[in-house]
Amino acid sequence: LVDQIIGEAKQSQRHMARLLMHFDHEDPVQEMLIAMGRDCAVMPNRSVGRSESLQIVKGEMLLIIFDDNGNVVKRVEMRPAGSDKVFLYRLSSTPWHTMIPLTKMVVVHEALEGPFKQSSEPLPDWVPGDSESLKRFLKEIEMQVVSL
């Protein structure tokens, strides 16, 4: 399954693929494998009052947590279990966050509290509105982490 989802991500324009492990959007737990290529740009998102867990299956990524004004409040480097980095991270009440792949491909197991609800909340002004601006925004955050 991991190789399958990686193959799908490589073929995707967004450099991302998801394998849903839940049966329905109404399920109380929404669980999936997400493969993201290095060029994948994940829009910052949040789920107020819902928990979310991320576990690295393959590759490396950076989890970025923002405050409501777009300031980075936490950076978590994540790698698979057995490495010297965090492999599992739980967000109790999911704040604004994004994932930045650090390797050619990263596979994440994500579990979040359901049922699925499409957010009707508008994106804040600090989130870039187009994909190229979003990529530059995320690259700047990544470079700040590298320089720490």
Side-chain angles (χ1 to χ4, degrees):
L1 290 177
V2 171
D3 289 340
Q4 175 187 335
I5 191 132
I6 288 172
E8 290 174 14
K10 287 179 179 177
Q11 299 299 315
S12 165
Q13 256 187 308
R14 287 191 61 217
H15 307 281
M16 175 193 270
R18 292 177 191 265
L19 174 66
L20 302 182
M21 298 164 63
H22 52 279
F23 295 106
D24 189 273
H25 287 318
E26 296 301 317
D27 287 353
V29 176
Q30 305 286 298
E31 192 172 11
M32 62 206 82
L33 280 179
I34 305 169
M36 297 176 283
R38 186 74 175 100
D39 293 330
C40 180
V42 178
M43 184 76 68
N45 62 89
R46 72 175 177 179
S47 299
V48 177
R50 294 174 182 258
S51 64
E52 178 176 333
S53 294
L54 302 168
Q55 178 183 1
I56 301 299
V57 175
K58 184 174 187 167
E60 300 174 21
M61 77 168 204
L62 190 58
L63 172 64
I64 303 293
I65 300 172
F66 303 94
D67 67 14
D68 287 341
N69 298 314
N71 300 306
V72 175
V73 294
K74 191 162 195 169
R75 298 167 176 89
V76 183
E77 288 184 67
M78 298 182 71
R79 295 183 184 154
S83 75
D84 61 340
K85 299 292 181 190
V86 172
F87 78 96
L88 179 65
Y89 195 87
R90 183 174 189 275
L91 299 153
S92 301
S93 176
T94 314
W96 288 107
H97 68 286
T98 190
M99 299 178 282
I100 301 174
L102 296 176
T103 51
K104 189 174 178 180
M105 190 62 63
V106 62
V107 178
V108 181
H109 174 240
E110 178 181 89
L112 54 129
E113 192 175 341
F116 174 78
K117 289 183 184 174
Q118 184 71 35
S119 176
S120 59
E121 178 179 29
L123 287 174
D125 292 340
W126 55 265
V127 176
D130 65 89
S131 62
E132 287 308 311
S133 296
L134 177 61
K135 286 180 181 180
R136 283 193 300 275
F137 173 73
L138 297 175
K139 192 57 144 175
E140 287 173 18
I141 291 170
E142 180 184 340
M143 296 312 289
Q144 290 171 4
V145 171
V146 170
S147 66
L148 293 178

